[in-house]
Amino acid sequence: MSLFFRKHAGIIIALLILVAWGSLLWFLLHWQVSFLSPLTYAAVLVMMHLYTGLFITAHDAMHGVVAPGKKWLNTAIGTLTAGLFAFNYYGRLYPKHHLHHRHVATDQDPDYHGGNFFLWFLSFARQYITVLQVLLMAATFNLLQLWFPVENIILFWMLPAVLATFQLFYFGTYLPHRGEYGSDNPHKSSTQSRNHLWAFLSCYFFGYHYEHHDKPYLPWWKLYQEKDRFKGNHQ
């Protein structure tokens, strides 16, 4: 079993995230919402975290590490997880992300902007949010209303996706790449202080961003090991 897991770990972890996202969303769409209950807000945060997990899985697929050696399966999982996150299109994300790695923190980097947080986020949103996505989200929202209460749809399907977008931008793009970096930092990236629990909760270890750029072939669930090896001294 251990050998099987090691061989197929990327696929298994991707499936666990997909099943957790889908089953919890299905449960919460049927749930009786109480705005007085702290469980409602905890559920929003858990869904936000799972949405982030969907995107991180799609991101790992872009690096070929979800199903190594099985390109069709890797692409299929990446396409599915990106699509479930607010109808992102994997085929559009893939080249942009590799431009980011090749031209990090330059004018050719689609993720980079030299302005403040809000201007940077607007630039980021223009790169990755399309009119078609918005139309598909609107159509799906109206379709879901045929079966589920509006407040459930907004709280557990729409809001977590919006919050996860900010989470991914803040921890995975803005914090790691803001500021100036010298020639001793070829990846023009910083890294979170070593705290594996916070690193996982904040963005599936992608706050360990220098480590990711240094070894982009590592899946998200191995970045903490690289952080331990590197001692997190790249600030």
Side-chain angles (χ1 to χ4, degrees):
M1 183 65 180
S2 177
L3 178 61
F4 179 85
F5 180 82
R6 286 201 301 272
K7 186 176 180 181
H8 303 287
I11 300 170
I12 293 168
I13 291 171
L15 290 176
L16 286 173
I17 291 173
L18 277 164
V19 169
W21 176 85
S23 57
L24 184 59
L25 178 60
W26 182 254
F27 171 78
L28 291 172
L29 286 174
H30 292 85
W31 198 38
Q32 182 64 49
V33 170
S34 170
F35 289 99
L36 297 178
S37 172
L39 290 177
T40 298
Y41 306 100
V44 171
L45 292 177
V46 173
M47 283 305 303
M48 176 186 74
H49 187 67
L50 290 172
Y51 263 105
T52 300
L54 288 179
F55 195 88
I56 294 297
T57 301
H59 165 272
D60 271 9
M62 295 175 210
H63 288 286
V65 298
V66 173
K70 297 181 177 66
K71 186 176 180 180
W72 69 270
L73 183 56
N74 193 82
T75 300
I77 293 173
T79 301
L80 176 61
T81 51
L84 291 173
F85 191 123
F87 295 103
N88 280 285
Y89 177 47
Y90 180 82
R92 187 169 182 269
L93 296 173
Y94 183 95
K96 285 180 177 288
H97 185 65
H98 285 278
L99 278 174
H100 166 65
H101 273 268
R102 285 197 299 270
H103 306 290
V104 61
T106 69
D107 291 341
Q108 295 173 281
D109 180 356
D111 292 4
Y112 183 73
H113 189 277
N116 61 37
F117 174 86
F118 298 102
L119 291 176
W120 195 332
F121 181 77
L122 287 174
S123 173
F124 183 83
R126 281 198 299 268
Q127 287 287 340
Y128 292 104
I129 299 175
T130 67
V131 173
L132 180 59
Q133 275 180 267
V134 175
L135 292 175
L136 287 171
M137 288 289 286
T140 305
F141 175 77
N142 284 291
L143 189 63
L144 288 173
Q145 287 185 69
L146 298 175
W147 297 286
F148 306 111
V150 171
E151 60 268 26
N152 294 60
I153 301 168
I154 293 173
L155 281 172
F156 306 124
W157 181 68
M158 292 183 68
L159 181 59
V162 173
L163 293 175
T165 300
F166 278 101
Q167 181 183 13
L168 285 158
F169 170 72
Y170 185 73
F171 290 103
T173 298
Y174 176 72
L175 280 184
H177 296 300
R178 64 177 178 170
E180 300 292 330
Y181 296 96
S183 58
D184 60 333
N185 188 325
H187 306 305
K188 299 179 182 177
S189 307
S190 63
T191 185
Q192 283 181 347
S193 298
R194 183 182 176 279
N195 183 324
H196 296 333
L197 177 60
W198 173 239
F200 171 70
L201 292 175
S202 61
C203 202
Y204 289 74
F205 302 121
F206 266 83
Y208 297 157
H209 210 75
Y210 184 98
E211 290 78 3
H212 167 59
H213 275 265
D214 193 60
K215 290 185 172 56
Y217 52 82
L218 289 179
W220 69 262
W221 39 273
K222 285 189 176 180
L223 284 174
Y224 79 93
Q225 296 172 341
E226 183 64 10
K227 182 68 173 183
D228 286 342
R229 192 184 72 81
F230 243 31
K231 304 300 183 185
N233 291 323
H234 299 278
Q235 299 294 340

